[in-house]
Amino acid sequence: MELVLYEPGLGYYAGRARKFGAEGDFVTAPELGSLFGRTLARQVKSLSFGKILELGAGTGALAESLLARADLDYTILETSADLRERQRSRLGERVSWLEQLPERIRGVVIANEVVDAIPVHAVAWRPQGIMERGVAFSNGLQWQERPAEGQLLEEAKAIAVPVPYESEIGLIARAWMHALAERLEEGVIFVIDYGFPRHEYYHPQRAAGTLMCHYRHQAHADPFAHPGEEDLTAHVDFSALAEAAAGAGLDVLGYATQAQFLVNCGITEVLGEANLDNALHYAPLAAEAQKLLSPAEMGELFKVLAVGKGMSGPLLGFTRGDRTASL
Ligand SMILES: C[S@@+](CC[C@H](N)C(=O)[O-])C[C@H]1O[C@@H](n2cnc3c(N)ncnc32)[C@H](O)[C@@H]1O
């Protein structure tokens, strides 16, 4: 997964693949239009830090809509050189870029659809024991299993699933969250992505896991079909991220579906600012709202997790329908 996504010159995010939008492979919430960013801006403004660190900013779409709404000191950490170039030409002087995580972070951190792109370990629970699923080359790429060891084995043992069962464990995502959390002196980290709390993630019916490829707007489950030319993702175990953050001393400040979060932040007020008499203006916004909020689209599957330090009182996005207890 690491190689097909990030190997310099060859990986999907390291190369020049179109990736986003109608001519690419997938569309993210900020790519749909400015509604997501304008609504998120209400949450950001209510926190009064004036400082954002965005991780994995894609084409810079979210940064553009947040900057249009608020006066922000905006920094991006982007691992893909190709996307960094695209962000530079779109955002210019309004943003600065970091090569690595700063030692200390104060303010708001946002990671939208980043954690699903962090490589996972593939695991199989078999009658003979817990196996790590790897990739071998013999007449093409294929799965090969060996007994799981070390931390992976320990984590997998703690998950109760019916055998046989295949899934993923995001060890690197946990380490990523821990590293981020350790650096946060004061502020909030928002992780927005598709995923579940642990009991839903490792549900008996999800016995084939969540590893998924995105190629020209088709989702499929064969990671060997177009290696390096398509996106490869896994759903996010939000319980694991919350635990990693708590383990580094952060508070879990909220967990909700994307729809609930956006409604709490006032997406209907943002829509209400549109010119309702002008169908040309309003119709695309209504379509965007439908995609962001509908349970059949991004509304239910996508979640927002907020963890932070030194914050008092509930955050705007979680005033109703907070599901932290389900983590
Ligand atoms: C699916 S794209 C989402 C882009 C954007 N946030 C959006 O919503 O349109 C994943 C992004 O995360 C970046 N990325 C992956 N791992 C990262 C990491 N550890 N730190 C920062 N960015 C990362 C990728 O290069 C890419 O920009």
Side-chain angles (χ1 to χ4, degrees), residues 52-75:
I52 292 202
L53 168 61
E54 185 181 357
L55 305 172
T59 65
L62 180 60
E64 188 165 70
S65 27
L66 284 172
L67 285 164
R69 280 285 164 139
D71 187 19
L72 295 163
D73 170 353
Y74 209 106
T75 311

Side-chain angles (χ1 to χ4, degrees), residues 6 13 20 26 28-31 54-59 77-80 83 87 112-114 116-118 176 231:
Y6 303 110
Y13 283 105
F20 300 84
F26 55 83
T28 61
E31 293 287 327
E54 185 181 357
L55 305 172
T59 65
L77 174 61
E78 173 59 65
T79 45
S80 156
L83 290 174
Q87 292 159 15
N112 187 65
E113 283 207 42
V114 175
D116 69 78
I118 296 182
W176 172 89
D231 195 18

